Amino acid sequence: MRAFEAAARRGGYVAAAQELHVTPAAIGAQVKGLEAWLGRPLFHRRPNGLLLTAEGRAVLPSLTTAFDAMNHAVRVMRAVGRPRSLTLAALPCIAQLWLTPRLPDLQAAFDLDVAILTRDDPPDYARELVDLGLYFGDAAPDGCTSTVLARDDLFPVCAPSLAAGLRHPRDLSGTTLLHDSVWREDWPRWLARHGAGALRPAREAAFSLYGIALDAALAGHGVLIGHSALVGEALAAGRLVAPFGDRMVAGAPLRLIVPEGGEGGR
C-alpha cells in the first residue's frame, strides 16, 4: 500500500522509488502484488505513464490521510522519546558556508546534538524524519511554518586582484563567469537588470557545488555571482570584493523551516 500510495501521489514509479529509497522495479512489483490481492487494477499502464483507475482514485485519499497520520505519530514519538537532538536538512552550500560557522554557538546555546542532512531537493517534511530545514524560498512549504534568517541578494564578487579592471558590468565581457550549475539563471538575471543582457563573457564555468565555485573565485579564476547569505564571511574578511558596489538583484531569502508538530517547533 505504501508503494501504491507513493506512486499515485508522485505520478510514477521512479519518483516513488526515490521517495522510498528502493528501485522502480521494486515499486512496480509491490503495486502488482497489491493489485493481484485486490483482484483489480489500480493503474492503467499507458506509454506516457500511469493513470489511476476508478478504484485507484477512490482509495488514494484515504491511504494518503492514513500515512500522513502515521508519519505525524512517529514524529511525535521521536520528539518525546529521545535525547535533545535535531535532524536538519539543508542545501550543501548552506550547510557548508552558512550553518557550519554558526553550529558551535547553536549547540552551546540550546544543548543540542545536531545531525546535518545535506541534499539539493528539500525533503517531504510530512513524510521524512526531518526536524528542521534550511533552504532558500519565498514561502514555507505546505504543512510547515518558517522564519526568514537572512536576505539573499545576488551580486558579482571576485578576488581583489580582479576588481581593479571591473568598473561597469560591460567589463565582464573579458572575464570568466562562475556559477552553480543549478542556479544557472543567476547571471542572466543580474546582467539583464543592469543593462548587460547581451554581454558575451570570455567563458563560463559551472560547478555542481557552490562551495567549489566560491573557491575558484577566491583563487582569482573568475567572477562569481554571489549569494549574500553565502559569501558574507569572505566579503567581511576582504578575501572577496563586490566590484560593482550595491548593484544587486533580490533573491529568495534563507528560511528556517519547521514542520508542524515536529520537534523543531519545541
Side-chain angles (χ1 to χ4, degrees), residues 205-228:
F207 299 83
S208 61
L209 292 174
Y210 190 84
I212 301 177
L214 178 60
D215 287 342
L218 290 167
H221 296 161
V223 182
L224 173 68
I225 185 68
H227 285 248
S228 60

Side-chain angles (χ1 to χ4, degrees), residues 75 77-87 129 131 263:
R75 188 182 298 279
M77 289 172 63
R78 292 175 74 238
V80 300
R82 63 178 186 170
R84 288 176 56 81
S85 62
L86 288 173
T87 298
L129 297 180
D131 299 305
E263 183 174 357

Side-chain angles (χ1 to χ4, degrees), residues 53 60 67 82 123 143 163 168 181 185 193 218 224 233 241 253 256:
T53 63
L60 178 60
F67 283 125
R82 63 178 186 170
H168 188 276
S181 58
E185 296 303 315
R193 183 72 61 88
L218 290 167
L224 173 68
E233 291 201 1
V241 296
L256 177 67

Side-chain angles (χ1 to χ4, degrees), residues 60-84:
L60 178 60
S62 296
L63 283 177
T64 298
T65 299
F67 283 125
D68 285 347
M70 186 181 300
N71 289 328
H72 176 76
V74 171
R75 188 182 298 279
V76 172
M77 289 172 63
R78 292 175 74 238
V80 300
R82 63 178 186 170
R84 288 176 56 81

Side-chain angles (χ1 to χ4, degrees), residues 2-252:
R2 174 75 85 173
F4 161 71
E5 190 275 338
R9 176 170 42 81
R10 299 293 298 274
Y13 291 165
V14 174
Q18 292 172 344
E19 178 179 312
L20 299 181
H21 307 291
V22 297
T23 65
I27 295 292
Q30 290 286 324
V31 171
K32 287 182 179 179
L34 178 61
E35 291 175 322
W37 180 73
L38 291 172
R40 62 192 66 189
L42 296 170
F43 288 114
H44 297 297
R45 276 76 173 176
R46 302 288 174 79
N48 59 345
L50 300 174
L51 183 66
L52 281 167
T53 63
E55 292 84 354
R57 290 194 303 272
V59 300
L60 178 60
S62 296
L63 283 177
T64 298
T65 299
F67 283 125
D68 285 347
M70 186 181 300
N71 289 328
H72 176 76
V74 171
R75 188 182 298 279
V76 172
M77 289 172 63
R78 292 175 74 238
V80 300
R82 63 178 186 170
R84 288 176 56 81
S85 62
L86 288 173
T87 298
L88 190 153
L91 280 171
C93 59
I94 294 175
Q96 177 188 3
L97 302 172
W98 191 91
L99 178 60
T100 298
R102 295 167 171 82
L103 191 56
D105 290 340
L106 173 67
Q107 291 177 304
F110 296 100
D111 188 25
L112 294 173
D113 294 329
V114 180
I116 309 300
L117 176 65
T118 59
R119 51 190 299 176
D120 291 326
D121 297 321
D124 184 337
Y125 294 99
R127 294 175 172 273
E128 299 184 52
L129 297 180
V130 173
D131 299 305
L132 298 171
L134 275 177
Y135 285 89
F136 295 117
D138 291 316
D142 291 342
C144 301
T145 59
S146 70
T147 300
V148 173
L149 297 180
R151 289 183 54 179
D152 187 49
D153 296 316
L154 309 179
F155 52 90
V157 295
C158 64
S161 59
L162 294 182
L166 300 175
R167 303 197 178 276
H168 188 276
R170 61 176 172 267
D171 296 331
L172 291 166
S173 61
T175 66
T176 298
L177 301 187
L178 310 174
H179 62 91
D180 188 293
S181 58
V182 174
W183 295 331
R184 60 181 68 254
E185 296 303 315
D186 286 354
W187 267 119
R189 283 184 60 207
W190 190 90
L191 292 169
R193 183 72 61 88
H194 294 94
L199 178 142
R200 300 291 182 187
R203 60 188 64 85
E204 292 187 29
F207 299 83
S208 61
L209 292 174
Y210 190 84
I212 301 177
L214 178 60
D215 287 342
L218 290 167
H221 296 161
V223 182
L224 173 68
I225 185 68
H227 285 248
S228 60
L230 304 178
V231 301
E233 291 201 1
L235 286 170
R239 299 164 64 207
L240 290 177
V241 296
F244 307 118
D246 60 357
R247 298 192 187 195
M248 300 179 178
V249 174

